[in-house]
């Protein structure tokens, strides 16, 4: 992928945020619960890949797309009163469709999908919106399907969390998921809606403000 095509990919994904997604109402009430926090886990990238944009389905320079069901994962980063946080860095990482992470400590012997980026980053816009093109998460031994998130930026308290798939049968046996109180589970559980081109999942994240004017 040349520099022009790379810029175009960023533009298409970024511009979609203003093309209709933000017309949907904020799903919370006047006050929303903060998103549940998790530890980082063992598979945060040991080294950030050169290609770490918000499209994880294609790796720059590659000719193939990642294995798995494409998913459009998007949402907004807000405070408990529904006010948007702009300029927040949103990172995600997850295993590939074979259940393997792009990490040297992953002992899974499944083949590694080198067409899957495995990690991506985006920055929220003025409306607090972000978007990723990735794959619908899959299970691997000991864990239900999930996507890791890490957020940080000026004026917010950093958050590391995970997104879980609503109604996935593996949730009931996942120790981390079960450790949450039901109300906190709701903050990290979202449906993946089947659409013509794949799946869509809206994941709004609620952070506490570190320093924010009234």
């Amino acid at each position: 992928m040349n520099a022009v095509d790379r810029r175009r990919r960023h533009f298409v994904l970024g511009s979609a945020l203003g093309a209709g997604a933000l017309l949907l109402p904020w799903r919370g009430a006047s006050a929303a619960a903060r998103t549940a926090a998790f530890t980082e886990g063992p598979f945060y990238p040991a080294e950030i890949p050169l290609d770490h944009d918000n499209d994880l389905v294609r790796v720059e320079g590659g000719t193939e797309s990642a294995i798995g069901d494409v998913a459009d994962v998007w949402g907004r980063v807000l405070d408990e009163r529904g006010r948007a946080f702009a300029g927040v860095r949103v990172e995600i990482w997850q295993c590939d469709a074979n259940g393997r992470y792009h990490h040297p400590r992953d002992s899974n012997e499944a083949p590694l999908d080198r067409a899957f980026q495995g990690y991506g980053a985006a920055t929220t816009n003025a409306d607090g919106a972000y978007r990723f093109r990735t794959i619908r998460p899959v299970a691997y031994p000991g864990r239900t399907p999930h996507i890791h998130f890490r957020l940080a930026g000026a004026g917010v308290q950093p958050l590391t969390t995970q997104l879980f798939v609503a109604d996935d049968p593996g949730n009931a046996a996942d120790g981390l998921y079960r450790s949450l109180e039901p109300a906190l589970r709701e903050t990290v559980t979202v449906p993946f809606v089947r659409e013509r081109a794949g799946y869509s999942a809206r994941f709004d994240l609620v952070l506490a403000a570190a320093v924010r004017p009234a």
Side-chain angles (χ1 to χ4, degrees):
M1 181 180 294
N2 58 36
V4 173
D5 288 337
R6 184 172 173 81
R7 287 195 297 270
R8 182 177 297 117
R9 180 168 66 160
H10 278 289
F11 174 77
V12 170
L13 290 171
S15 63
L17 289 171
L22 297 182
L23 298 179
L24 292 175
W26 159 237
R27 72 181 183 186
S30 57
R34 294 182 193 173
T35 301
F38 287 90
T39 58
E40 188 174 279
F43 298 130
Y44 181 82
E47 182 177 349
I48 302 300
L50 292 177
D51 189 1
H52 55 267
D53 61 11
N54 60 347
D55 185 350
L56 282 67
V57 176
R58 296 291 296 269
V59 175
E60 184 176 6
T63 59
E64 298 181 355
S65 297
I67 302 169
D69 295 319
V70 175
D72 188 21
V73 178
W74 58 279
R76 299 176 69 199
V77 178
L78 307 127
D79 68 11
E80 292 155 299
R81 294 174 58 186
R83 298 180 296 182
F85 283 116
V88 173
R89 179 178 173 84
V90 182
E91 301 173 272
I92 68 169
W93 64 100
Q94 66 186 105
C95 68
D96 63 25
N98 297 320
R100 184 170 171 182
Y101 282 90
H102 288 234
H103 196 285
R105 292 178 58 189
D106 188 352
S107 59
N108 190 339
E109 296 182 356
L112 181 66
D113 181 8
R114 299 190 181 279
F116 181 58
Q117 193 168 286
Y119 167 93
T123 301
T124 60
N125 66 13
D127 294 305
Y130 72 89
R131 183 180 293 271
F132 289 97
R133 184 170 181 253
T134 184
I135 61 170
R136 190 179 189 274
V138 302
Y140 59 87
R143 290 303 315 276
T144 194
H146 61 281
I147 301 175
H148 296 268
F149 276 71
R150 189 165 79 169
L151 295 84
V156 303
Q157 293 184 9
L159 172 72
T160 300
T161 189
Q162 296 179 26
L163 174 159
F164 294 88
V165 181
D167 299 322
D168 190 280
N171 291 346
D174 188 272
L176 287 177
Y177 188 78
R178 291 172 55 195
S179 71
L180 295 175
E181 295 293 332
L184 287 178
R185 289 178 194 166
E186 292 184 7
T187 70
V188 293
T189 308
V190 299
F192 276 68
V193 180
R194 183 73 182 179
E195 297 184 345
R196 180 177 300 178
Y199 286 88
S200 177
R202 179 176 182 173
F203 186 34
D204 294 319
L205 296 115
V206 180
L207 278 60
V211 178
R212 186 168 187 140

